Amino acid sequence: MHLTETLMWILFNIFVIGMLALDLGVFHRKAHEIKLKEAIIWSIVWILLALIFNVLVYFWHGTQAALEFLTGYLVEKSLSMDNIFVFLMIFSYFGVKPMYQHKILFWGIVGAVVMRAIFIFAGITLIKLFHPIIYVFGAFLIFTGIKMGLQKDREIHPEKNPVLKVFRKIFKITPDYVDGKFFIRQGKNLIATPAFRCPF
């Protein structure tokens, strides 16, 4: 990888982190319910940024790379519509107030991105150390794909989530939300709020 390309990736990641920091630390610093108009405006902003990046990819790597990025973006955007209903169901189940939903969703997505990055790099390392494991990964992918296909219309019950069950055993949780905070102090103890539980 050339120095220029490395620098471009560094600048890209700094830009993404900067935009995320602006989103949560400036524009949504004060918890509030996001109305339809604000949601539409922010959707347009993020879509325009993606399209601008797509133009940069076109001039940076050519037509093929730009088309691949646009295709991937459109596919991911379409799939994300499915997630909206899952988020709404989770927020409804946990009784998350509209004014706290953006913050919880934001950190839930950041956590998912971090976990995905960890698993990707761990997977790459394992493949380099033991190449046949790629067949194990492939079999697991096929298995999960079939399982998801068969359970497409099955109802989701958050209370049965094994991670949530373990979470309840480890952490003490306040009965109510506390100004959108994830943790509060009670004496010398650090106690989780329902807001911290939601992303799990």
Side-chain angles (χ1 to χ4, degrees), residues 74-90:
L74 292 174
V75 169
E76 287 292 335
K77 199 69 176 173
S78 301
L79 292 173
S80 69
M81 296 304 292
D82 239 8
N83 294 335
I84 291 175
F85 298 103
V86 177
F87 296 146
L88 288 173
M89 184 203 66
I90 291 172

Side-chain angles (χ1 to χ4, degrees), residues 89-109:
M89 184 203 66
I90 291 172
F91 287 152
S92 176
Y93 174 80
F94 288 113
V96 181
K97 294 179 181 179
M99 63 188 301
Y100 302 138
Q101 289 177 2
H102 177 272
K103 180 179 180 180
I104 292 171
L105 184 58
F106 178 94
W107 286 112
I109 291 172

